[in-house]
Amino acid sequence: SFNIEMNTKSDKISISEVFNMNEYTDNHKKRIDTITHHIMAILGGFMACYAVLLRMDFIGNAQTSNMIYIVLALLGNNLLEVLIRVGGVLLYMISTIFFVLVKNKSSIDCKYWSMAISSVAIILLSIIPENFNPVLALYPIFFAMAFQWNAFPGNKEYTSSTIFSTNNLRQVSLSIGEYFIEHKQKSLEKLAFFTGTILCFHLGVMI
């Protein structure tokens, strides 16, 4: 009976240790994901600023404004601009489709793919002439940022974009409101994550 009790106690300790180890591993992965996420937000800010400063104030990280310009070009009967901008939309979509294929078929982590794609995009941006068509010049950004958006969706707990800031600002505001109501540490952790993402994005703008 004594041996059975000791074995049972030992089993309980062993199981507890396993849970503690899993918790430590999860927290470690979460910290790594957060750091990586914030680093990629710097890249997102850099890409956005490049487009605004050098390509007629046109942000290449998203497609909302591009699709609006497609409608305006249609209304203005500017077929060439329509085709160029539709090409940008299609490239953005192709990048997202490519992400799905890589995620399901490649043995290499999508994050490494994203870093490689962004590196190639930066090289291409550096050799595109200044007087090149501004939308065509942003094609590398369209592809790279669409892939990055999917490859770096946040950490283990929060979903956050590294290529634009509107939803991150929304989450910062929600976190402040939630803390005023609930006074929970969780709200402060959420606030810190999204604030960090916004600050890193704009650090990329400064670079």
Side-chain angles (χ1 to χ4, degrees):
S1 174
F2 177 76
N3 289 335
I4 293 174
E5 288 177 0
M6 286 297 293
N7 289 337
T8 303
K9 184 177 180 181
S10 176
D11 289 342
K12 287 181 179 179
I13 293 173
S14 177
I15 293 171
S16 175
E17 288 175 349
V18 169
F19 278 117
N20 288 336
M21 185 178 298
N22 288 339
E23 184 177 352
Y24 170 79
T25 303
D26 289 342
N27 288 335
H28 180 69
K29 288 180 178 178
K30 181 181 173 182
R31 283 195 294 272
I32 295 298
D33 282 348
T34 298
I35 293 170
T36 308
H37 184 83
H38 286 160
I39 290 173
M40 295 308 292
I42 295 174
L43 177 60
F46 173 81
M47 292 292 204
C49 186
Y50 168 89
V52 169
L53 289 180
L54 299 180
R55 301 300 172 187
M56 297 179 63
D57 292 332
F58 181 60
I59 297 178
N61 288 14
Q63 285 297 306
T64 303
S65 60
N66 190 37
M67 290 190 289
I68 291 173
Y69 279 118
I70 289 173
V71 175
L72 296 177
L74 282 170
L75 294 174
N77 294 317
N78 190 337
L79 180 59
L80 179 59
E81 184 176 358
V82 170
L83 292 176
I84 291 173
R85 291 187 179 278
V86 168
V89 172
L90 292 177
L91 191 61
Y92 207 87
M93 294 173 65
I94 289 170
S95 179
T96 301
I97 295 169
F98 181 61
F99 166 81
V100 175
L101 296 176
V102 168
K103 182 180 179 181
N104 289 279
K105 299 295 184 179
S106 176
S107 59
I108 302 174
D109 194 309
C110 292
K111 291 180 171 61
Y112 296 121
W113 275 91
S114 179
M115 293 175 188
I117 291 170
S118 293
S119 298
V120 173
I122 290 173
I123 293 172
L124 291 175
L125 293 174
S126 69
I127 61 177
I128 294 175
E130 188 176 348
N131 60 349
F132 205 65
N133 180 282
V135 180
L136 286 174
L138 293 180
Y139 271 27
I141 291 182
F142 292 159
F143 192 89
M145 292 297 96
F147 197 97
Q148 180 174 316
W149 191 9
N150 290 286
F152 294 90
N155 63 6
K156 295 292 182 183
E157 191 167 2
Y158 305 116
T159 300
S160 166
S161 171
T162 60
I163 65 172
F164 40 76
S165 294
T166 304
N167 183 63
N168 293 328
L169 181 61
R170 170 178 171 266
Q171 293 298 332
V172 165
S173 304
L174 288 173
S175 301
I176 295 172
E178 289 165 1
Y179 183 74
F180 284 155
I181 298 299
E182 301 172 352
H183 302 288
K184 290 184 178 179
Q185 180 67 26
K186 197 73 173 175
S187 299
L188 295 180
E189 292 175 2
K190 179 180 176 182
L191 174 62
F193 174 77
F194 285 101
T195 301
T197 304
I198 291 175
L199 291 176
C200 287
F201 182 90
H202 288 88
L203 177 59
V205 171
M206 294 170 62
I207 293 174

